[in-house]
Amino acid sequence: MDLGIAGKTALVCGASKGLGYGCAEALVREGVNVVIVARGAEALEAAAAKLAAAATGSPAPFVKHVAADITTEAGRAAVFALGHDFDIVVTNAGGPPPGDFRNWDREAWIKAVDANMLTPIELIKATVDGMAKRGFGRIVNITSSSVKSPIDILGLSNGARSGLTGFVAGVARTPIAAQGVTINNLLPGSFDTDRLKGTMAGAAQKSGQDFDTVWEARKKNIPAKRFGTPAEFGAICAFLCSVQAGYMTGQNVLADGGAYPGTY
């Protein structure tokens, strides 16, 4: 299927590895010009080289990278020094650490909200009006399955990402919806990433079990009996950015191998 987005330009955050990289790769393969951002310069450069190698077509899409912390004003300024005219924005920031809510002080909560709620809002604010003026825009926020099914040790993530979800539910339904701009949230369940490994390590420590036991038990509890891959997550993201998805906005798209037990 031709997604109709070749030649568009995307900003993909947290794209040096994991789900962010999977999204960037899927977009590049669709002919989208991509600007990727992450904090680690070395890993980001390696990711950019891989993406450039995957770029095909004539002309091939460009791949640019900015080593910056997108959750800071300085980091966002470094990205927007390249321009504000992004047709696609994929927001993504590393989730807050797991733990017991009794141990989280105000600073921990502010950091979580700043990274996982306020930063996406700032990126939306900086790009959405230009998208509306041009008549096309796609914003995809990578959040978490914990928005629908909270995970007790991820309380910081549960709270901050739920705040973003509420904000998007409102802004996606403003007049920008009639101007070709969609805003959706993509909720990953258990994907084989460093983030999942870190969460499982925390669960293993809390339960007193070894890592492999917790890892395999988590896998068995998923109806698909496996973890997802960044590539298949990226494919879903690319579809949400497509012209075919223009009638989908304000939605929470769950990708979890069937783990969520609810009907709705």
Side-chain angles (χ1 to χ4, degrees):
M1 180 187 293
D2 180 359
L3 299 185
I5 51 177
K8 301 293 187 184
T9 300
L11 169 64
V12 184
C13 303
S16 62
K17 58 184 178 180
L19 301 182
Y21 179 84
C23 293
E25 183 178 42
L27 291 170
V28 164
R29 292 188 185 280
E30 292 296 325
V32 176
N33 302 309
V34 171
V35 176
I36 59 173
V37 59
R39 287 172 292 182
E42 185 175 348
L44 189 64
E45 288 177 9
K50 286 173 60 180
L51 290 171
T56 59
S58 182
F62 67 68
V63 177
K64 298 180 181 180
H65 62 283
V66 179
D69 183 352
I70 198 68
T71 68
T72 66
E73 289 187 18
R76 292 189 289 276
V79 170
F80 289 123
L82 298 178
H84 285 72
D85 295 338
F86 292 105
D87 305 296
I88 296 167
V89 174
V90 180
T91 77
N92 178 35
D100 188 318
F101 77 93
R102 297 171 183 83
N103 299 322
W104 297 326
D105 57 15
R106 177 179 174 79
E107 183 179 354
W109 278 106
I110 294 298
K111 186 176 181 180
V113 170
D114 200 29
N116 298 115
M117 178 182 173
L118 298 182
T119 292
I121 291 173
E122 289 294 334
L123 294 173
I124 293 169
K125 185 168 67 174
T127 58
V128 71
D129 289 334
M131 292 177 178
K133 185 176 181 180
R134 294 188 300 274
F136 179 91
R138 299 288 185 266
I139 297 171
V140 178
N141 303 299
I142 299 177
T143 62
S144 171
S145 63
S146 66
V147 171
K148 284 184 68 71
S149 183
I151 301 169
D152 61 347
I153 62 171
L154 297 182
L156 290 171
S157 179
N158 297 341
R161 297 188 194 278
S162 293
L164 175 64
T165 303
F167 168 79
V168 167
V171 75
R173 293 168 172 86
T174 63
I176 62 170
Q179 295 173 283
V181 180
T182 69
I183 309 178
N184 292 292
N185 304 315
L186 185 48
L187 286 54
S190 297
F191 281 77
D192 192 352
T193 63
D194 289 346
R195 168 67 172 172
L196 179 64
K197 291 181 175 69
T199 301
M200 290 296 94
Q205 183 178 22
K206 182 178 179 180
S207 66
Q209 298 176 293
D210 64 85
F211 176 85
D212 289 341
T213 298
V214 173
W215 183 262
E216 291 302 317
R218 177 71 168 266
K219 192 184 298 183
K220 289 178 181 177
N221 284 333
I222 301 171
K225 302 302 180 188
R226 66 177 181 87
F227 297 128
T229 68
E232 57 192 349
F233 186 85
I236 300 170
C237 178
F239 174 75
L240 290 175
C241 297
S242 71
V243 295
Q244 289 89 344
Y247 205 53
M248 291 179 63
T249 195
Q251 300 304 303
N252 294 289
V253 180
L254 181 63
D256 69 349
Y260 175 64
T263 301
Y264 302 107

